[in-house]
Structure formats: C-alpha cells, structure tokens
Amino acid sequence: MPDRATPPPTDPAADSPGSPGPLSEPVRSQPYVVTKPPRGVSVRVFIYVVATHVLLAFMSMLVFLAKSR
C-alpha cells in the first residue's frame, strides 16, 4: 500500500496548446490536493512498539496467573 496518494493520470494531448477543442483556451481543473497527510513511518514504528509491549505484558500476566494457581 503506497504511503502517498497519487493524482489521477492526465491526458498530455488534451493539455497541448495546438490541440483542437471547442473552447479557445483549455479549462484547467483545480489542483489535486490531499486533505489528510499520510501517516509517517515513525508513527507506524511507535504503534508497533506499543502493540508488542502490550502483547508481552499480557503474556507475562498469563504466565504469572498460571504459576500462582
């Protein structure tokens, strides 16, 4: 899964000034803007580290409870 969203492909022939068209000047659409920034690698590493610590603590608690019985 890519970290960045890619803009939709454009037709380079439609943007050339010599191409025939119904309008004298090509209509430009608004630029492609990503409203939500992609989650960085450091955030993913932080989530993985926290998740592994929680899993290890849970497993330690299970071992502790099994030995105490």
Side-chain angles (χ1 to χ4, degrees):
M1 186 163 109
D3 286 342
R4 295 184 192 155
T6 57
T10 58
D11 187 12
D15 291 338
S16 64
S19 64
L23 300 174
S24 61
E25 193 165 320
V27 177
R28 300 278 181 189
S29 61
Q30 292 182 352
Y32 183 77
V33 178
V34 178
T35 57
K36 183 179 176 185
R39 187 179 293 177
V41 175
S42 59
V43 175
R44 287 185 192 165
V45 170
F46 176 76
I47 291 172
Y48 294 154
V49 168
V50 169
T52 54
H53 278 78
V54 168
L55 182 63
L56 186 63
F58 180 71
M59 290 170 53
S60 299
M61 185 183 70
L62 288 178
V63 170
F64 177 76
L65 290 175
K67 285 187 175 183
S68 65
R69 289 182 176 219

